[in-house]
Amino acid sequence: MTAITKSKKATLQDVANTAKVSKSTVSQYLNQRYEYMSTETKMRIEQTIEALEYQPNIIARSLKQKTTATIGVIVANLLHRFSTEITRAIEDYCHAHDYHVIVCNTDEDPSKEKKYIDMLKAKQVDGLIIIPTCQNDEVYRQLVDEQYPVVFLDRKVDGLPINMVVMDNVHSAYTCTSHLISQGHKEIAIITPPLNISTRSERIQGYKAALLDHGIKFSDQYVRSVNLSEVARQMNELFQMKKPPTALLAGNDLVLMEVLPYLLKNNIRIPDELAVAVIDDVSFADFVSPPLTTFKHPAVEMANKAAELMLGQIKSRELPEIGSNIISFNGRLQVRKSSGG
């Protein structure tokens, strides 16, 4: 074996010379194109790479192959359990397919979202999986015009030929509200963050449809869509109504995190004085008293589908047709004692 001093970084040619093969054979090995390569040759190259501590020039390979084997994942809020679950699942899926992942968090800020999109494109990532703020139409349209591989996750943006992997939020809220009705409740409130994204408005739709289908008159007084800092004040207003709610549907886990301290501070017992359910799963659902009724997202399945679509689009560079670009998943209700179930 040719001696390579530690001060000298081994090159592709060094590997080829030492393994007694051509540079193209080493290159094929590094790119996992070795269907017709003998087991003995593969083993010799592998042992040589290890012995020489050879590190491929990733930038040079990227320029030659026109790929960085990297995708960007832009989430709206990493505090959401859903965001944590999907980023982990996407990373696992991509790792299994020899892709790397860069994760960015927008805090629901469209200017941060645009900045991250520009940054990731500058880093030449092969594509983007985005939980969109839904407030950057011009940026999204530019990605489409450039045929840049993009998948939207969890939220819809109308009128774009972009694959969108979402949960059926109408079904989720309908199921939760119907469950609360089955427990004898008619005065059911719902609190969500502001209705500037599809998931939240769809959950209001599902809530309203369940009331109407069960013969309960809809009252917008029980619907509150506010910033998280306003949740406690809205709870005060709801309990001061002539007919205060006997049940509450929290629109997501972050709303729930504002509701629970309010109820504890004001000695409001769950479910005796207020039944509670949440459209999201939380890690502590089984460990609080009483255990919380939740609606679990199929986060891993959604993430895997988004990653599958992303890697497929990177290879094909084909845009989906509007009308067939929305892939919808159903979650499941997990009934526990907080809803009286």
Side-chain angles (χ1 to χ4, degrees), residues 174-284:
Y174 187 98
T175 301
C176 290
T177 307
S178 296
H179 167 68
L180 292 170
I181 293 170
S182 75
Q183 301 305 303
H185 298 285
K186 294 184 179 180
E187 287 77 35
I188 302 171
I190 182 170
I191 300 179
T192 74
L195 303 180
N196 55 358
I197 60 172
S198 62
T199 54
R200 299 164 189 170
S201 58
E202 288 170 357
R203 290 174 188 184
I204 298 296
Q205 291 175 37
Y207 159 85
K208 184 176 181 179
L211 293 177
L212 296 177
D213 284 353
H214 288 84
I216 298 173
K217 185 178 180 181
F218 170 77
S219 171
D220 58 11
Q221 288 185 309
Y222 291 120
V223 178
R224 306 297 168 108
S225 298
V226 296
N227 292 322
L228 295 174
S229 60
E230 290 289 306
V231 171
R233 187 172 67 82
Q234 297 298 321
M235 292 289 292
N236 268 329
E237 290 185 8
L238 286 168
F239 279 107
Q240 290 169 8
M241 291 174 60
K242 185 176 181 180
K243 283 190 173 182
T246 62
L248 172 70
L249 179 56
N252 65 22
D253 57 338
L254 297 184
V255 170
L256 178 73
M257 300 298 245
E258 300 295 323
V259 167
L260 292 180
Y262 174 88
L263 298 179
L264 181 63
K265 180 180 178 181
N266 290 276
N267 297 312
I268 298 171
R269 292 172 298 155
I270 305 174
D272 299 336
E273 296 175 272
L274 185 74
V276 175
V278 56
I279 306 177
D280 261 336
D281 202 15
V282 289
S283 59
F284 55 84

Side-chain angles (χ1 to χ4, degrees), residues 284-299:
F284 55 84
D286 284 309
F287 306 114
V288 296
S289 181
L292 294 166
T293 292
T294 63
F295 197 89
K296 181 173 176 58
H297 290 71

Side-chain angles (χ1 to χ4, degrees), residues 1 32 68 73 81-82 92 137 141 180 184 192 197 229 283 301:
M1 181 177 291
Q32 299 183 5
T68 58
V73 177
R81 179 178 178 178
F82 174 74
D92 287 344
D137 289 348
R141 176 58 62 183
L180 292 170
T192 74
I197 60 172
S229 60
S283 59
E301 293 87 344

Side-chain angles (χ1 to χ4, degrees), residues 27-295:
S27 180
Q28 288 173 350
Y29 173 86
L30 292 171
N31 292 302
Q32 299 183 5
R33 295 196 299 268
Y34 34 58
E35 294 87 351
Y36 303 106
M37 196 179 297
S38 71
T39 302
E40 189 273 334
T41 299
K42 286 191 289 185
M43 186 176 297
R44 194 164 70 249
I45 295 172
E46 180 182 351
Q47 290 172 346
T48 302
I49 287 172
E50 183 177 347
L52 299 183
E53 298 181 2
Y54 172 69
Q55 295 290 330
N57 188 326
I58 300 298
I59 295 175
R61 288 177 64 189
S62 297
L63 291 172
K64 185 176 181 179
Q65 298 174 8
K66 297 182 179 180
T67 177
T68 58
T70 304
I71 66 166
V73 177
I74 302 176
V75 300
N77 192 330
L78 274 172
L79 293 177
H80 275 294
R81 179 178 178 178
F82 174 74
S83 296
T84 305
E85 287 182 310
I86 65 105
T87 51
R88 175 58 189 270
I90 290 171
E91 196 279 332
D92 287 344
Y93 186 98
C94 289
H95 177 74
H97 291 79
D98 295 317
Y99 266 76
H100 308 290
V101 173
I102 300 174
V103 179
C104 300
N105 176 62
T106 67
D107 291 318
E108 301 282 7
D109 182 344
S111 64
K112 278 185 76 173
E113 180 182 49
K114 181 182 184 305
K115 183 178 179 180
Y116 280 135
I117 290 173
D118 291 341
M119 179 272 289
L120 291 167
K121 286 173 64 182
K123 288 185 178 293
Q124 297 184 315
V125 301
D126 295 337
L128 299 171
I129 297 177
I130 306 174
I131 299 180
T133 63
C134 304
Q135 299 177 63
N136 268 320
D137 289 348
E138 186 176 338
V139 176
Y140 308 147
R141 176 58 62 183
Q142 184 178 353
L143 292 170
V144 170
D145 292 343
E146 294 173 357
Q147 293 190 309
Y148 198 89
V150 179
V151 174
F152 284 164
L153 184 55
D154 189 47
R155 301 171 179 178
K156 302 173 188 173
V157 179
D158 293 334
L160 293 174
I162 292 175
N163 281 315
M164 304 180 194
V165 181
V166 300
M167 188 169 78
D168 185 341
N169 288 286
V170 175
H171 168 264
S172 304
Y174 187 98
T175 301
C176 290
T177 307
S178 296
H179 167 68
L180 292 170
I181 293 170
S182 75
Q183 301 305 303
H185 298 285
K186 294 184 179 180
E187 287 77 35
I188 302 171
I190 182 170
I191 300 179
T192 74
L195 303 180
N196 55 358
I197 60 172
S198 62
T199 54
R200 299 164 189 170
S201 58
E202 288 170 357
R203 290 174 188 184
I204 298 296
Q205 291 175 37
Y207 159 85
K208 184 176 181 179
L211 293 177
L212 296 177
D213 284 353
H214 288 84
I216 298 173
K217 185 178 180 181
F218 170 77
S219 171
D220 58 11
Q221 288 185 309
Y222 291 120
V223 178
R224 306 297 168 108
S225 298
V226 296
N227 292 322
L228 295 174
S229 60
E230 290 289 306
V231 171
R233 187 172 67 82
Q234 297 298 321
M235 292 289 292
N236 268 329
E237 290 185 8
L238 286 168
F239 279 107
Q240 290 169 8
M241 291 174 60
K242 185 176 181 180
K243 283 190 173 182
T246 62
L248 172 70
L249 179 56
N252 65 22
D253 57 338
L254 297 184
V255 170
L256 178 73
M257 300 298 245
E258 300 295 323
V259 167
L260 292 180
Y262 174 88
L263 298 179
L264 181 63
K265 180 180 178 181
N266 290 276
N267 297 312
I268 298 171
R269 292 172 298 155
I270 305 174
D272 299 336
E273 296 175 272
L274 185 74
V276 175
V278 56
I279 306 177
D280 261 336
D281 202 15
V282 289
S283 59
F284 55 84
D286 284 309
F287 306 114
V288 296
S289 181
L292 294 166
T293 292
T294 63
F295 197 89

